[in-house]
Amino acid sequence: MEPSPLSRLAELLTEADSVVALTGAGVSTASGIPDYRSPGTGLWATVDPMEVANIGAFRRDPARFWAFYSHRLASLADVEPNPAHYALARLEEMGVLTALVTQNIDRLHRRAGSRVLAEVHGSIDFAVCLSCGARYPHQRMVDGLAAPPGIPTCDCGAPLKPGVVLFGEDLPADEFERALGWMERADLLLVVGTSLQVWPVAGLPGVAAATGARVVILNATPTSYDREAAVVDRSPVEETLPAVVRLLGG
Ligand code: ZN
């Protein structure tokens, strides 16, 4: 009889010295954050994210950008980590997981307790000034949005941009370099809640595999790496990951 995906995954986790996780929107859907690639959901139902959450649009018309992005920030204000986030943090604490790379900007991995973390698409944790390079904590955006004219601004007067990577913007080089290094040293890569459609992150499993890592896919929909993966499991990650933690005695 074939072992279940869960027990096979637990076995792979036990064997590997260096385990890295790569997460995406599917980890946060159980926290109530819709994936903008699922059409007709929430905030993204009536707008094209590529058009509005775009660096060109921000530079052209920051007021219009913030009229939309203020809703995005507000929708992320009350969300909480879910069992998938907590399970990944627990795996790190148990010494099973070496590092975590996420495309999510919602801060939920950090809030769940993950420490060795690369947020390759940035985070709403901070805001940046494209004019003078200053960085501000999240609260600066909240305060700026609450007071007229409703645009967070830098001390230098320029409008602030959320610390997330907008469409058309490069990834933060330091975060991506760290992620690449972890991929190259990984024995096992867990791809969790991402269908690997966004580059350059979509290329990271290839980097890990080329340097000898096995790849595990925990995602609701197919990915381009399913065929090479050691384990593919489509069940909800907020159930799978806590079950794996329990199997490993954590
Ligand atoms: Zn500035």
Side-chain angles (χ1 to χ4, degrees):
M1 205 177 96
E2 284 280 298
S4 75
L6 208 60
S7 57
R8 179 74 183 121
L9 173 54
E11 194 179 288
L12 288 169
L13 284 168
T14 312
E15 287 167 5
D17 286 328
S18 180
V19 181
V20 176
L22 170 62
T23 72
V27 171
S28 291
T29 45
S31 293
I33 304 174
D35 181 355
Y36 67 80
R37 279 178 202 80
S38 313
T41 48
L43 194 56
W44 306 107
T46 54
V47 296
D48 176 0
M50 306 268 258
E51 195 180 308
V52 72
N54 179 293
I55 186 64
F58 173 82
R59 286 184 194 277
R60 267 193 308 279
D61 193 347
R64 187 165 177 264
F65 170 86
W66 275 112
F68 165 76
Y69 212 85
S70 58
H71 296 290
R72 173 97 167 118
L73 275 195
S75 75
L76 295 174
D78 300 326
V79 297
E80 296 294 335
N82 68 62
H85 298 104
Y86 287 116
L88 287 164
R90 180 72 189 123
L91 287 172
E92 181 185 330
E93 199 180 36
M94 291 162 70
V96 174
L97 188 68
T98 310
L100 177 61
V101 179
T102 188
Q103 303 168 84
N104 299 341
I105 53 91
D106 53 31
R107 308 189 283 183
L108 293 181
H109 283 302
R110 214 185 297 194
R111 285 174 52 197
S114 287
R115 297 275 173 267
V116 187
L117 181 64
E119 292 166 310
V120 290
H121 286 172
S123 161
I124 56 163
D125 208 38
F126 62 96
V128 288
C129 175
L130 298 182
S131 182
C132 74
R135 251 173 104 126
Y136 294 91
H138 178 90
Q139 191 60 36
R140 177 85 173 204
M141 291 186 282
V142 177
D143 294 345
L145 289 168
I151 304 171
T153 47
C154 180
D155 287 345
C156 82
L160 290 176
K161 186 187 82 71
V164 304
V165 176
L166 300 180
F167 289 100
E169 243 188 332
D170 287 337
L171 270 53
D174 49 345
E175 299 284 308
F176 196 70
E177 285 299 318
R178 277 199 305 148
L180 269 180
W182 292 335
M183 294 296 157
E184 286 164 0
R185 292 190 295 274
D187 301 319
L188 183 65
L189 173 65
L190 307 183
V191 174
V192 187
T194 171
S195 38
L196 299 169
Q197 289 173 36
V198 180
W199 288 83
V201 170
L204 290 176
V207 173
T211 48
R214 306 237 216 171
V215 177
V216 167
I217 308 280
L218 308 177
N219 193 52
T221 56
T223 80
S224 48
Y225 285 95
D226 285 7
R227 228 178 314 166
E228 295 100 90
V231 175
V232 177
D233 188 70
R234 305 240 180 272
S235 48
V237 294
E238 64 276 14
E239 293 167 16
T240 312
L241 288 169
V244 169
V245 169
R246 284 193 297 274
L247 265 183
L248 295 174

